[in-house]
Amino acid sequence: MHLNKQNLIVILAAFSLLSSCVYHFDLDEVSEIPKLTVYSYPGSGDTMVVRLSYSLPVHDKGRKMYGLKGRDIRLEVNDRSVPLWWAEDSLPGVPAKSYYVVQSYETGDRVRLTASVEGVKAVSAFTIIPAPFPLNAVKIERKSSELNVLQLQINFTDYAKTENYYAVTVKERVKYWKEGTSEVHYGESSSAYMDWSDEPMLDASSGLDDIFMGNYAYYQNLYFWSDEKIQGKNYTLRLNMTYIPDYKTSIQDETFINRKQYKVYLYSLSEEFYRYLKSLNEQKNNELGNVELAPMRATYTNVENGFGLVGGCCLRQTEWMDSLKE
């Protein structure tokens, strides 16, 4: 297992807090002046990226402008100033028109980011780097009661003395080779949908939502939870997917053997990051709000005077794991 340089990408603009069926408001009074939006995820790799943009007023139909260059962008780690660099063009792991710094972090590091851009209020945000995901083992097994189900089992021991927040996502791809040869090729990877019906830790629906909403869904197949129910305990998280054994395909009279592979990404999150993801998920599952039976829910932000997220995150990943054979 090892830390990954890949930055965790979480994208969505802020939504309105108010529901039209509960409150009356004048759109001309809402967000007349754009606010600064900041996204940065310190600790998700050894390269920290900071992206700035303007929020759009509710009546503005224009395109959001990403990649703003500020007049004063400051990063402090444990009250020590750390210089940020500007990337006009894209670099490995760094998008074009963004700030970055190569910086390693330790558990408990305090990170503060302030930013000032002409025409909007200066913003600031604070987060703390969480401890790495406390993983013991990851394995894939056929579910004994349903042999057509493949179960991913993630065993970990929660940190006993702190409140902790975790997330997992799974990538899948196809490994294939021509029958009778040993030369292996790989298809593109994609995010895998996981069935969490055997996992009470991820059961987030309740009340009227169960009646109107149907199946609760995790946005972009990122499954997250807090340690509230398992404080300090050893626990095995169980996620299911359809079992697909090796299969053959034919291309231009050549036969290929295909095998599914999976890679597991495990995150420890700061409280700010967890609350942000939770708010996004609540919005995506808020069908009651869409039919004006409940208030619309706001996107959480820890950016003072602005929008977005500066959230601490530690990421670990497994190697690619083969699906089980028959």
Side-chain angles (χ1 to χ4, degrees):
M1 313 296 296
H2 59 279
L3 288 173
N4 184 18
K5 291 179 65 177
Q6 170 185 334
N7 292 299
L8 177 64
I9 302 175
V10 181
I11 1 176
L12 276 182
F15 285 79
S16 169
L17 173 64
L18 306 178
S19 169
S20 60
C21 69
V22 179
Y23 301 96
H24 170 77
F25 59 91
D26 186 345
L27 290 180
D28 291 335
E29 296 175 358
V30 180
S31 300
E32 276 297 332
I33 300 175
K35 291 187 176 183
L36 192 57
T37 300
V38 183
Y39 285 103
S40 186
Y41 316 118
S44 59
D46 57 10
T47 302
M48 173 181 168
V49 175
V50 180
R51 301 211 74 188
L52 305 178
S53 63
Y54 287 128
S55 66
L56 288 177
V58 293
H59 57 75
D60 195 326
K61 300 183 184 297
R63 274 190 164 185
K64 196 165 187 175
M65 182 186 298
Y66 292 96
L68 291 179
K69 194 170 185 179
R71 351 178 248 206
D72 189 12
I73 312 296
R74 298 183 184 181
L75 172 67
E76 292 182 351
V77 179
N78 298 326
D79 301 320
R80 180 178 61 85
S81 180
V82 177
L84 286 163
W85 304 97
W86 173 257
E88 185 66 28
D89 301 312
S90 61
L91 301 169
V94 180
K97 298 188 181 301
S98 59
Y99 290 90
Y100 72 99
V101 62
V102 178
Q103 169 77 27
S104 59
Y105 295 93
E106 301 291 335
T107 299
D109 279 352
R110 305 180 310 279
V111 179
R112 181 175 297 279
L113 183 68
T114 59
S116 175
V117 174
E118 187 173 355
V120 294
K121 287 185 178 180
V123 300
S124 65
F126 175 81
T127 192
I128 295 176
I129 304 300
F133 192 98
L135 180 67
N136 297 323
V138 175
K139 64 180 179 178
I140 296 177
E141 292 187 350
R142 300 273 293 277
K143 189 176 176 182
S144 57
S145 59
E146 299 176 73
L147 294 181
N148 65 329
V149 173
L150 205 60
Q151 188 170 83
L152 174 67
Q153 300 176 3
I154 302 170
N155 180 263
F156 65 100
T157 303
D158 178 62
Y159 296 105
K161 297 182 180 179
T162 55
E163 294 181 356
N164 303 289
Y165 307 92
Y166 307 111
V168 60
T169 191
V170 181
K171 297 286 188 181
E172 61 181 355
R173 72 180 183 186
V174 174
K175 169 185 176 181
Y176 62 97
W177 60 95
K178 188 162 66 173
E179 193 171 36
T181 69
S182 58
E183 184 179 349
V184 176
H185 306 273
Y186 300 96
E188 292 187 4
S189 65
S190 61
S191 176
Y193 168 77
M194 309 299 290
D195 172 16
W196 44 271
S197 56
D198 288 338
E199 186 43 69
M201 200 67 59
L202 299 177
D203 187 5
S205 59
S206 63
L208 285 176
D209 285 349
D210 291 336
I211 301 173
F212 289 94
M213 189 172 64
N215 293 329
Y216 188 88
Y218 279 87
Y219 181 63
Q220 292 189 344
N221 298 329
L222 179 63
Y223 306 90
F224 55 89
W225 67 98
S226 75
D227 69 347
E228 182 180 1
K229 299 177 182 178
I230 55 166
Q231 185 72 48
K233 297 179 181 178
N234 179 274
Y235 188 79
T236 299
L237 192 84
R238 301 175 190 274
L239 299 172
N240 298 330
M241 50 194 159
T242 302
Y243 171 60
I244 301 176
D246 289 359
Y247 59 95
K248 294 183 180 181
T249 55
S250 295
I251 302 176
Q252 296 179 347
D253 297 327
E254 293 183 329
T255 301
F256 290 85
I257 311 297
N258 300 264
R259 180 175 299 165
K260 296 283 283 188
Q261 288 190 313
Y262 304 94
K263 176 178 281 194
V264 183
Y265 295 83
L266 301 156
Y267 304 91
S268 283
L269 307 174
S270 67
E271 181 179 359
E272 300 84 16
F273 214 140
Y274 172 79
R275 292 176 65 184
Y276 176 77
L277 291 177
K278 193 169 186 292
S279 72
L280 291 183
N281 239 49
E282 287 173 346
Q283 289 174 3
K284 286 297 177 181
N285 287 279
N286 187 18
E287 293 190 13
L288 292 178
N290 293 335
V291 296
E292 300 189 345
L293 292 175
M296 296 300 290
R297 299 164 182 176
T299 304
Y300 171 83
T301 180
N302 66 332
V303 180
E304 187 176 351
N305 293 326
F307 297 116
L309 175 73
V310 177
C313 171
C314 283
L315 171 59
R316 304 178 73 175
Q317 66 178 23
T318 67
E319 300 297 329
W320 284 100
M321 299 180 291
D322 284 351
S323 177
L324 301 177
K325 299 179 182 179
E326 282 283 10

